[in-house]
Amino acid sequence: MFLKGSASGAHNITLRRFALGLFTVVSLTGCLSGSESPLIPGGGSGTPVTPAEASTPMKVKDTAAATGHAAKVEQVTIKAFDGTDIAMTVYYPTLAKGEAAPLLLHSHGFGGSRTTSLDFDEAAQTSEIGIDVLQLAYNEKNKVAGRKGWYVISYDQRGHGDSGGTVSILDPNIEGKDFSTVLDWAQANLPNLGYRTKGNSPDPVVGTIGRSYGGAFQLIGAGLDGRVDAMVPGGTWYDLRYSLNPGGVPKTAYLDGLVAAGAQSNKGRYDQFLLQGLVEANTTGVVDDTIVKRLGSQGSVSYCDLSQNLPNGMTLKSIPAFFVQGATDVLFNLREGLQNFECYRKVNADSKLLFVKFGHSLSSLKIQKDPAGELAGTGAKYAFNESLVWLKTAQNQCPAGLYDKATGRCVIPLKDMMFQFLVQNLIGKNEANSKTYLGFDPVPVPEIAAVLEDSRPDPSAVVVQSKGADRPKLDGLRAASAFTAPTQVLTGVLGVPSGLSSTQGSQLAQPVYVNLNNANLPGCYVGVPKATVKLEAVGPASPEAPVVFVGLGLERADGTKTVLHDQITPIKGYGEKTLELPGISVRLQAGDKLTLNLQGYNPVFLTSFNRVPVPVNVSASVALPNTITDSTGFCGQ
C-alpha cells in the first residue's frame, strides 16, 4: 500500500502487518449517539422554494447563452479551492435553444469512482441503484418521448479515482468546499441549466443522489450550500462516531475492509489522521478523542443536534430528502436512517424514509447471508438495496401493471420511487402525476415505508402512519420486555463456542439467546429499541474493561433462532449503561418472539475484543418500539 504523507515507520510496519493478516476482501464497494435536540437552526442560507415557486416552469438564466445542444458526454477536470484536481463526467441532454433542464449531481461510495458511462444494461448492473436513476434522468437510453433529459454530473471525491488529494471522509472544510466548486462550475458551464426564484433571486434547480459515501456527500454539501433543492441519500451515516466506533469499540472489520476495498481507487491516499485512527483501532482498541470528535463533525449530527457541540459551519436547510436505509446494513443501521429523516422532517414535510432489507454486507466473510441468494426467484436483483419494493397496499391504490395478485402487493422498482421523488421536487408535483413525463405509472410515495423481516423471500413493505404534525420519534416507548436474571458470558475469542448450526450461519460467534417477557405479541415493530444493560464481574474484576456484544434475537414459531437483522452493539466496561440498539423492522406472527442475544465476540468488530478472556454476568431490560398499524390490516394478522 502506498501511504501518502509522512507516516512513521512504525505506522508503516503496523499497517503492512494488518494488510497481510487482516485485510480480507469484503463485499462493500461503497462507503464506510446523537439524541434528539430542539436546538436545530432554521433555514440558514438555504431558503426553501415555496410551493408556488416549485410549480412554476424552470427558466434559463441567460436566454442569449442558452443555445441548446445535442446529447454528449464530456470528461472534465476542474481545480478545487486548494488547486486539487477534481475529475467529473458531465452528461449534456438534447435541448433546444432556451429549453431549461435541472441538474442531477451524483457521487460514489467509499473506494469507488464516478460513473463514466450510462450506456449499460440496467437489468444486469448490480453496483448501486443510484446510477439507474441517473440513466432515467439523462433520458438517452430507452428514451421516454414525453420529456427531455436532465444534466447529470458524476464526480470523483478527492482521493478517489482520477481526482487528486487525500481522503478526509467528507470534511466540510475540504470535500464540502469541493461540492460547492462543482456547482459553481455547473452554473458557469451548463448553458441551459434551469433556474427558479429562491428568496427573490434566481437559483439553479439541483438534485443530488448517491449511496453510502455518496449519500453523505449530499448531507455535507447541502449543509454548506443552499443551492440543493432535493436529495436522495441512500445507506449513509448520521454520526460516524456511532457508525465506526460505537460505545468506544472500533468496528475494525469495516475499518480494515474499507481501506482494503479502496486500495485500487484510493491508492493509499488517506489523510494522516485516518491512518493514525486505523492503527489505534487495531492495536490499543482505543481511538484518540480528537479523531473521534473530528469524525463526528463530518455528519448531519453536527447540525441536527447542536447539543453535541460539533461546530463546522453547516446549517440545516429546508430540503426535501428521501432516505433509504438497510435493516441488515452492519455499517449504517436503521437507527441512522431514522435520525437523518427525523432531522429533515422537522424542517421539510416532503421528506421521505424507506427501510429496505439489505445494505453494506459482510457476506463474503460468511458473516452474513448473500443478498443475491436471498432475492433469487423474486424478480429483484441485489444492487446495494433491493431493486423492487413489495408494498402491501389495497389493489385500488396500485397501478394495474404493478399489482401482484398472488401476494396482494404493489411491486414498485426502487429506482422509480427515487426518480419520482426527484421529479416532484425539481420539476413540480403536477408533472409528477404524468405517466407521460415519467415513463412509468406514478404511485404515492409514502412518508415512511418499511420492509419487514417476515420470513418471505420477497419481504413485504408497509406504510408507517404519521402520528401528528410534528412526527414523533419511532422509539422505545413501550417498556414491555424485561429480564432480571443474570446470564454469564465469556468475553474474548474464547467466547466463540464450537458447533455452529446452519440457522446461525449469519454470525461467526454463536449467540446466547435470553428470553424476554412480553416480547411475543404479534404485530409489526418498526423503530429503535432501548436497553439498560448491567455488566458485573464474576470473581475478581479484570483490569481490562470487558466487552460484551448485545442485540435482539428473533425466534420463530418453529424454533429457528437468528440474530435480528445481523445487528449487534458493544457494551464496554463494568456497571450499568442505557443505550439505543440498532433499529428494527420486523413482523411477529403467532408463536414468534424477540429475545436478547449476548456474545463475547463478534466478527464485525474483528480485532476489538478482550485479549484476556473474562467471565461477566449480564442483566438487562429492553424497551421495544410500539407496534404499528397499517391500513391494510397486514400487521394485525
Side-chain angles (χ1 to χ4, degrees):
M1 179 186 295
F2 173 73
L3 301 179
K4 191 81 170 179
S6 57
S8 68
H11 280 190
N12 282 325
I13 293 170
T14 306
L15 285 169
R16 282 196 294 270
R17 183 176 299 143
F18 287 121
L20 292 172
L22 296 174
F23 285 178
T24 310
V25 176
V26 292
S27 61
L28 45 72
T29 301
C31 180
L32 296 150
S33 83
S35 59
E36 203 171 338
S37 168
L39 303 176
I40 296 178
S45 61
T47 305
V49 177
T50 68
E53 290 168 341
S55 65
T56 61
M58 287 181 297
K59 296 181 179 179
V60 295
K61 189 175 183 181
D62 185 345
T63 304
T67 55
H69 42 70
K72 60 181 179 179
V73 181
E74 290 184 347
Q75 308 302 330
V76 178
T77 299
I78 61 175
K79 292 293 183 182
F81 69 97
D82 59 355
T84 298
D85 285 343
I86 302 296
M88 309 186 302
T89 299
V90 184
Y91 300 85
Y92 296 77
T94 299
L95 295 173
K97 181 178 180 179
E99 192 170 34
L103 167 65
L104 183 56
L105 185 61
H106 167 265
S107 197
H108 51 82
F110 188 91
S113 57
R114 71 190 190 279
T115 299
T116 58
S117 173
L118 296 177
D119 187 18
F120 57 82
D121 181 0
E122 184 276 330
Q125 75 86 16
T126 59
S127 59
E128 57 177 292
I129 287 291
I131 63 171
D132 293 350
V133 181
L134 301 186
Q135 204 174 51
L136 288 174
Y138 189 45
N139 196 39
E140 288 297 328
K141 186 180 174 112
N142 304 319
K143 285 189 177 183
V144 175
R147 62 176 163 85
K148 296 290 184 176
W150 301 0
Y151 289 106
V152 173
I153 294 178
S154 180
Y155 76 98
D156 287 336
Q157 295 291 332
R158 65 169 57 213
H160 291 76
D162 296 323
S163 288
T166 58
V167 178
S168 296
I169 312 292
L170 298 177
D171 188 316
N173 294 313
I174 303 174
E175 287 96 340
K177 290 182 178 179
D178 295 343
F179 180 95
S180 292
T181 299
V182 172
L183 288 185
D184 290 344
W185 182 93
Q187 283 195 247
N189 292 276
L190 304 182
N192 288 51
L193 181 60
Y195 283 77
R196 283 198 181 92
T197 299
K198 183 188 286 187
N200 298 318
S201 300
D203 192 82
V205 180
V206 178
T208 60
I209 194 166
R211 52 99 174 174
S212 192
Y213 204 74
F217 100 95
Q218 303 171 65
L219 296 170
I220 298 299
L224 294 165
D225 197 305
R227 287 175 285 186
V228 178
D229 299 299
M231 58 184 177
V232 184
T236 196
W237 66 80
Y238 175 75
D239 186 348
L240 274 177
R241 299 171 300 173
Y242 170 79
S243 310
L244 301 177
N245 193 44
V249 181
K251 200 177 285 183
T252 46
Y254 257 107
L255 288 170
D256 296 346
L258 288 169
V259 173
Q264 181 175 359
S265 176
N266 302 132
K267 300 180 180 66
R269 296 176 291 166
Y270 298 103
D271 191 290
Q272 186 60 40
F273 88 97
L274 296 174
L275 298 175
Q276 177 187 340
L278 183 71
V279 171
E280 292 173 351
N282 280 293
T283 53
T284 67
V286 178
V287 180
D288 185 87
D289 284 344
T290 59
I291 296 175
V292 172
K293 188 166 185 177
R294 179 172 175 179
L295 290 175
S297 72
Q298 296 171 197
S300 53
V301 62
S302 61
Y303 56 85
C304 288
D305 185 355
L306 299 184
S307 69
Q308 295 287 317
N309 192 27
L310 297 166
N312 53 32
M314 296 188 293
T315 57
L316 179 63
K317 301 173 178 67
S318 180
I319 302 169
F322 184 8
F323 296 97
V324 181
Q325 208 84 3
T328 61
D329 190 319
V330 293
L331 187 56
F332 309 127
N333 69 63
L334 298 184
R335 176 179 180 257
E336 298 206 72
L338 187 53
Q339 289 171 309
N340 276 322
F341 167 76
E342 284 175 338
C343 175
Y344 275 85
R345 178 61 180 80
K346 286 175 181 173
V347 295
N348 196 293
D350 288 330
S351 294
K352 310 285 185 182
L353 174 65
L354 174 65
F355 285 168
V356 294
K357 187 171 182 179
F358 299 112
H360 295 88
S361 172
L362 289 169
S363 58
S364 65
L365 294 182
K366 309 302 181 185
I367 295 172
Q368 292 180 282
K369 294 180 181 178
D370 179 14
E374 289 277 281
L375 291 172
T378 67
K381 65 179 182 300
Y382 174 62
F384 186 72
N385 297 305
E386 295 94 319
S387 61
L388 298 176
V389 178
W390 298 70
L391 183 63
K392 182 68 177 175
T393 186
Q395 184 170 357
N396 62 2
Q397 295 179 348
C398 178
L402 301 179
Y403 193 73
D404 181 67
K405 293 183 179 179
T407 61
R409 289 160 179 80
C410 197
V411 186
I412 311 166
L414 179 54
K415 65 173 183 174
D416 289 355
M417 294 179 73
M418 291 176 165
F419 185 59
Q420 183 177 327
F421 175 83
L422 288 167
V423 169
Q424 287 174 333
N425 291 287
L426 299 182
I427 301 298
K429 297 187 184 303
N430 292 334
E431 286 280 19
N433 292 325
S434 169
K435 181 178 178 180
T436 302
Y437 184 88
L438 291 171
F440 54 81
D441 286 299
V443 296
V445 179
E447 179 188 47
I448 304 177
V451 174
L452 301 168
E453 180 65 50
D454 68 348
S455 300
R456 290 178 55 86
D458 51 342
S460 303
V462 297
V463 175
V464 181
Q465 302 294 333
S466 294
K467 299 177 182 177
D470 59 350
R471 189 70 198 98
K473 187 174 183 178
L474 298 174
D475 201 352
L477 302 176
R478 183 178 65 86
S481 309
F483 77 91
T484 55
T487 300
Q488 190 172 126
V489 175
L490 183 63
T491 69
V493 291
L494 295 183
V496 185
S498 60
L500 292 175
S501 69
S502 59
T503 59
Q504 295 156 344
S506 63
Q507 294 290 344
L508 176 61
Q510 183 172 336
V512 176
Y513 294 96
V514 182
N515 286 331
L516 296 170
N517 62 294
N518 296 328
N520 59 350
L521 302 176
C524 297
Y525 296 84
V526 179
V528 179
K530 284 185 176 179
T532 299
V533 183
K534 186 175 183 179
L535 270 60
E536 298 176 288
V538 177
S542 171
E544 182 184 16
V547 178
V548 172
F549 300 90
V550 302
L552 290 181
L554 174 61
E555 183 175 343
R556 292 297 185 191
D558 63 2
T560 301
K561 297 179 181 180
T562 56
V563 177
L564 181 60
H565 306 322
D566 301 335
Q567 297 290 354
I568 205 81
T569 296
I571 305 289
K572 185 176 183 178
Y574 294 111
E576 185 174 283
K577 296 177 177 63
T578 297
L579 69 156
E580 290 184 340
L581 297 176
I584 64 173
S585 181
V586 61
R587 180 189 180 208
L588 296 187
Q589 302 179 62
D592 297 340
K593 62 182 179 181
L594 295 176
T595 64
L596 193 75
N597 74 77
L598 307 173
Q599 300 177 30
Y601 173 78
N602 186 272
V604 174
F605 294 82
L606 194 61
T607 62
S608 301
F609 59 88
N610 288 122
R611 269 52 175 180
V612 179
V614 58
V616 294
N617 278 334
V618 184
S619 54
S621 62
V622 178
L624 296 173
N626 287 315
T627 55
I628 65 171
T629 301
D630 71 297
S631 58
T632 68
F634 176 72
C635 288
Q637 295 175 1

